[in-house]
Amino acid sequence: MVGTSHVAEPGASGVQAHPAEQFTAPLRRFREALASSRPEGHTRQGAPAPLFDKAERLLSAAAGSMLALAGLRRRDVPGTLLAGFGAALIYRGASGRVPLSRALGYSTAGHSPDALADRSAHRGAELGVHVRQSLLINKSPEELYDFWRNFENLPQVMSHLKSVRRLDERRSHWVASAPAIAGGAVEWDAEITDDEPNSRISWRTVEGADVAHRGSVCFQRALGDRGTAVRIELHYQPPAGAMGRWFAKLFGEEPQQQIREDLRNFKRRMEIGEVISLEGQPRGSCHGRGKRA
Amino acid sequence: MKAVVWCAPYKVAVEEVPDAKIINRRDAVVRVTSTAICGSDLHLVDGFIPFMKAGDVIGHEPMGIVEELGPGVDQSKVKVGDRVVVPFPLGCGECFFCRRQLWSCCDNTNPKPRLAEELFGQSTAGILGYSHLTGGFAGGQAQFLRVPLADVNLQKMPEDLTDHQALFLSDIFPTGYMAAEACDIQPDDTVAVWGCGPVGQFTIRSAQLLGAGRVVAIDDEQRVPERMEMARRAGALVIDMHDQYVHDRLLDITGGLGPDVCIDAVGMEAHGYTALTAAYDKIKTNLFMETERPHALRQAIECCRKGGTVSIPGVYGGFSDKFPLGALMNKGLTIKTGQTHVHRYIGELLGHIRAGRIDPSFVVTHRMPLTQAPQAYEMFREKQDGCIKVVLDPAR
Ligand SMILES: NC(=O)c1ccc[n+]([C@@H]2O[C@H](COP(=O)([O-])OP(=O)(O)OC[C@H]3O[C@@H](n4cnc5c(N)ncnc54)[C@H](O)[C@@H]3O)[C@@H](O)[C@H]2O)c1
Ligand SMILES: [Zn+2]
Ligand SMILES: [Zn+2]
């Protein structure tokens, strides 16, 4: 990532209070008004509920405020525009239209599409962190299952996995990268708890894992010629200490994003055979700061 | 190699940068022979798309010769030495969207989809040289260009077409064509086109190719008389946007109905002199409360006949204000829009070119060395020297 001026990634954390309250206050009131006018707990059959986590709404609003304030402080044109987009994000935060929040924080329910819609009922049933993400992949359940069932393939699509080694039919040894503070790597043994060919694989870590968790992936043929809906679910207890801090960094703030990105890489790998990279493409230096156009 | 680099709003530079190279197995490197500047590039230069980083190589309307292919490219589709046009949106050919010919909505070609998911709810395709919102790919205003998924994206061109005849298949010809085609134009339809820039010019001609009864074009007679003249030469009736009564004139021409099809080929930087809302937008965008100035679009919606179609090839990036939803809903209008699904139209439009029904080179007013890109941008932006479309030559 290139850490220069004009891109502020929404969702970035580390938001602090800022004296420019007079700017944010009206927007906050607007946000609150919007939030209170929306009926709670409304769900629609067969579609994700239009409710989004308050926390995430705040996150988006906060990112928006960051952008807006960063823009406000800079009186130049890009600053102004940054602020404009910031305001837009605050709006999104206010309105709850935050797509990444789609599935955060509810536990595993059934596996029918309709069960997906029913999220609020299962919320908070278990402690810990739950992650669920789905994507449509244009391949048959058989092809997708085959790739996944061979866990040794997973480091190809999961950016934080270093290796997976098969121990026997049901057990495998996983190594994920971690920063030096957490020992450079975390490892665990996992065992398959449920294996329905071409449909579903569940696993959980065995005693002594650095990060205890359980997860499942399920493959469901989509309507018509749409391929297969793939859903990943993970449930884990965030560990304590330095490891916990790292883990929070990796998964805690944006577990949805991490899993979503992995699932997206799986889709890219299966549909187009590769994950398009930008590494090594040409960039300029702007030493002369450019000429006025 | 030499490339055009975005440094800050209003600042672009021509720099010596590392050569474009194969990164993924299905990549190609194209030696660029012609590369155009687009109205969309002005949105970047004017800072209306703030997802840029200093040093980004820009440009999304290139063509050239295939110089090198990655080991995973299907060679039955493209070979080293082929002469190709590069569509500005990158498709994959495999996802839900590409299989439905919605190439600019491809699910697999934006390597950084998160920003767009935040802003739009879902991410769209990667676009070459067009900000980090659409992937952060290095662009085609350069001597060499890397193109991912080359066997799907590169479009082979016949040798007997000149660069200027083939080049605009990369973007503006399909863009004008899609804008018109989406409206199901009938022989007794009046089609009104806002904006006589390059996209507007192709929209006017596409509406005619598709059998429109009459085409009316709206732009600024004082600022861009040459564009008005080019529209007139195509057979369009032109209206000066300074005319306070654009709406009345359009109704008058159509016997009080309003145009059946209204096309906004202006986009997010529309200007206006008479309408109060134009001033309102300017203030709001400067006060960062709005990201667009949809003046032309508002007017299109207000003028469109009841039950008609409003098509929006003009680019918008964020959120707008005072949008005439009431008119849109109550008049029962249909909206058609999108970044162009370029791949879908290549064959059909090549057919029109080869049959002599259109010669896309009409739009070129300037060909300049790539090294003069900053001057070229300024000229195109300020509409100096009768500039309508500039093509840059990377070999010079
Ligand atoms: N949908 C797509 O895929 C796609 C592709 C290419 C370009 N575009 C967009 O199309 C738009 C036009 O591109 P271009 O290259 O022709 O740009 P351009 O800047 O050369 O042309 C815009 C024209 O609109 C005129 N204009 C401004 N305000 C107006 C108003 N209120 N009423 C009437 N005319 C007005 C200007 O005088 C100018 O002639 C841009 O927004 C560009 O980003 C979209
Ligand atoms: Zn363009
Ligand atoms: Zn695709």
Side-chain angles (χ1 to χ4, degrees):
Chain A
M1 223 175 84
V2 189
T4 40
S5 50
H6 294 97
V7 176
E9 312 260 3
S13 63
V15 184
Q16 306 139 5
H18 193 277
E21 262 287 295
Q22 77 271 30
F23 177 69
T24 51
L27 284 153
R28 184 156 13 85
R29 278 198 295 280
F30 172 59
R31 190 169 72 215
E32 280 160 8
L34 258 175
S36 62
S37 67
R38 225 182 12 261
E40 293 286 317
H42 168 74
T43 55
R44 205 154 34 94
Q45 187 77 24
L51 272 180
F52 298 99
D53 280 328
K54 203 168 163 191
E56 285 198 351
R57 240 184 282 145
L58 287 173
L59 182 76
S60 176
S65 308
M66 286 263 288
L67 274 173
L69 291 172
L72 260 176
R73 260 179 270 125
R74 311 167 32 158
R75 282 277 156 207
D76 55 352
V77 176
T80 302
L81 283 153
L82 217 56
F85 270 85
L89 277 174
I90 292 172
Y91 161 75
R92 289 182 64 86
S95 62
R97 284 277 306 110
V98 184
L100 66 85
S101 66
R102 208 153 278 151
L104 184 78
Y106 55 101
S107 69
T108 59
H111 295 282
S112 71
D114 292 347
L116 255 182
D118 186 11
R119 43 176 304 194
S120 45
H122 297 273
R123 179 180 297 238
E126 263 178 299
L127 291 173
V129 179
H130 307 261
V131 181
R132 169 188 272 173
Q133 280 289 331
S134 310
L135 264 189
L136 202 57
I137 303 184
N138 182 29
K139 289 286 171 204
S140 68
E142 291 76 18
E143 286 166 283
L144 299 175
Y145 171 88
D146 282 350
F147 181 92
W148 200 285
R149 181 63 181 81
N150 183 3
F151 284 140
E152 297 185 356
N153 282 333
L154 293 183
Q156 290 178 40
V157 295
M158 302 197 136
S159 48
H160 59 287
L161 273 187
K162 273 191 188 162
S163 69
V164 180
R165 189 163 40 85
R166 205 182 105 112
L167 300 174
D168 59 40
E169 223 357 79
R170 302 199 79 79
R171 287 154 52 92
S172 47
H173 182 72
W174 302 56
V175 183
S177 51
I181 186 176
V186 282
E187 310 194 15
W188 62 85
D189 284 352
E191 65 177 2
I192 292 176
T193 52
D194 182 20
D195 183 4
E196 299 166 31
N198 306 328
S199 153
R200 175 180 164 80
I201 307 167
S202 306
W203 65 91
R204 69 162 173 243
T205 51
V206 301
E207 276 295 315
D210 283 344
V211 181
H213 68 276
R214 61 187 161 74
S216 70
V217 55
C218 98
F219 309 96
Q220 189 171 57
R221 199 178 293 279
L223 294 176
D225 68 345
R226 295 179 180 212
T228 302
V230 181
R231 184 187 311 125
I232 298 184
E233 300 191 34
L234 274 185
H235 172 91
Y236 63 87
Q237 300 289 351
M243 174 83 75
R245 279 198 295 281
W246 165 74
F247 205 76
K249 196 156 171 271
L250 184 63
F251 281 121
E253 290 161 10
E254 296 283 356
Q256 291 297 326
Q257 277 311 317
Q258 181 66 55
I259 296 303
R260 186 164 177 75
E261 201 46 42
D262 290 346
L263 191 50
R264 196 146 35 204
N265 283 341
F266 181 43
K267 176 180 166 75
R268 289 161 171 158
R269 171 74 177 61
M270 298 309 292
E271 287 188 345
I272 62 173
E274 59 189 23
V275 176
I276 297 174
S277 161
L278 298 173
E279 227 166 291
Q281 68 171 3
R283 294 192 61 75
S285 63
C286 291
H287 281 328
R289 286 297 276 155
K291 291 207 182 66
R292 198 182 158 85
Chain B
M1 66 170 187
K2 289 191 170 50
V4 180
V5 171
W6 185 98
C7 286
Y10 307 112
K11 292 206 172 128
V12 294
V14 177
E15 282 187 22
E16 196 64 40
V17 303
D19 279 356
K21 61 177 193 204
I22 303 283
I23 299 173
N24 283 89
R25 291 171 47 82
R26 289 177 64 193
D27 284 359
V29 170
V30 173
R31 176 169 57 80
V32 181
T33 54
S34 288
T35 183
I37 301 179
C38 178
S40 302
D41 293 325
L42 296 182
H43 302 323
L44 303 180
V45 170
D46 294 351
F48 268 67
I49 311 259
F51 301 100
M52 294 295 291
K53 296 176 187 178
D56 287 346
V57 176
I58 56 177
H60 62 265
E61 300 187 356
M63 70 177 295
I65 309 290
V66 177
E67 182 87 4
E68 193 187 345
L69 292 175
V73 175
D74 177 353
Q75 303 237 357
S76 70
K77 302 269 170 53
V78 56
K79 289 197 180 58
V80 170
D82 280 353
R83 183 156 174 261
V84 292
V85 155
V86 188
F88 76 89
L90 295 170
C92 78
E94 285 297 325
C95 71
F96 177 95
F97 300 96
C98 290
R99 283 183 299 136
R100 283 160 183 76
Q101 297 287 310
L102 300 168
W103 295 84
S104 75
C105 298
C106 176
D107 249 350
N108 286 322
T109 53
N110 185 342
K112 308 176 179 181
R114 190 162 165 216
L115 211 50
E117 286 188 341
E118 274 290 321
L119 212 60
F120 302 149
Q122 284 127 23
S123 155
T124 51
I127 297 182
L128 294 168
Y130 208 68
S131 94
H132 295 262
L133 192 58
T134 52
F137 286 100
Q141 285 164 11
Q143 290 181 309
F144 295 92
L145 171 69
R146 169 248 185 162
V147 183
L149 308 179
D151 39 19
V152 178
N153 286 304
L154 295 181
Q155 308 290 328
K156 262 163 95 160
M157 288 297 126
E159 292 299 330
D160 58 328
L161 294 186
T162 65
D163 268 23
H164 289 187
Q165 286 174 318
L167 178 62
F168 304 117
L169 290 172
S170 62
D171 179 348
I172 55 174
F173 187 12
T175 295
Y177 197 80
M178 180 168 118
E181 193 221 39
C183 302
D184 189 24
I185 293 172
Q186 302 299 311
D188 57 347
D189 277 354
T190 295
V191 176
V193 179
W194 274 257
C196 293
V199 170
Q201 297 294 341
F202 277 102
T203 307
I204 292 166
R205 283 155 183 82
S206 298
Q208 291 167 336
L209 281 173
L210 291 160
R214 179 171 38 196
V215 179
V216 186
I218 302 131
D219 205 320
D220 189 334
E221 188 71 65
Q222 286 159 34
R223 201 152 173 253
V224 290
E226 59 283 348
R227 295 178 179 212
M228 302 294 261
E229 186 48 37
M230 192 179 259
R232 259 185 221 108
R233 276 205 306 277
L237 196 73
V238 304
I239 300 180
D240 182 6
M241 60 178 281
H242 288 274
D243 190 334
Q244 286 195 45
Y245 304 104
V246 171
H247 172 269
D248 295 2
R249 292 216 40 206
L250 283 170
L251 260 65
D252 187 47
I253 293 166
T254 52
L257 280 184
D260 309 273
V261 169
C262 290
I263 304 181
D264 167 10
V266 177
M268 69 203 312
E269 294 183 65
H271 49 271
Y273 299 98
T274 48
L276 206 60
T277 48
Y280 173 87
D281 284 335
K282 194 151 191 179
I283 294 165
K284 286 281 267 204
T285 45
N286 286 337
L287 285 176
F288 31 80
M289 299 305 289
E290 191 179 36
T291 55
E292 350 260 353
R293 304 203 301 246
H295 178 55
L297 179 55
R298 283 197 197 103
Q299 200 170 46
I301 290 172
E302 278 151 21
C303 293
C304 193
R305 85 150 156 77
K306 290 174 280 183
T309 303
V310 175
S311 172
I312 316 171
V315 161
Y316 293 89
F319 297 75
S320 95
D321 211 345
K322 296 280 179 290
F323 191 73
L325 260 181
L328 177 69
M329 187 274 160
N330 287 285
K331 295 204 293 180
L333 303 182
T334 299
I335 297 272
K336 294 285 184 174
T337 186
Q339 297 281 359
T340 306
H341 308 302
V342 173
H343 308 59
R344 189 204 292 183
Y345 295 99
I346 299 279
E348 191 175 342
L349 298 187
L350 261 179
H352 284 310
I353 298 171
R354 309 218 73 176
R357 285 188 283 271
I358 184 168
D359 179 350
S361 64
F362 78 88
V363 78
V364 181
T365 52
H366 295 75
R367 184 175 175 94
M368 296 165 71
L370 182 83
T371 48
Q372 285 176 23
Q375 294 91 310
Y377 266 94
E378 170 155 23
M379 186 176 69
F380 178 51
R381 194 172 165 272
E382 299 302 331
K383 278 80 183 165
Q384 296 159 351
D385 195 31
C387 180
I388 298 178
K389 188 76 176 176
V390 196
V391 178
L392 299 173
D393 181 351
R396 289 197 294 150

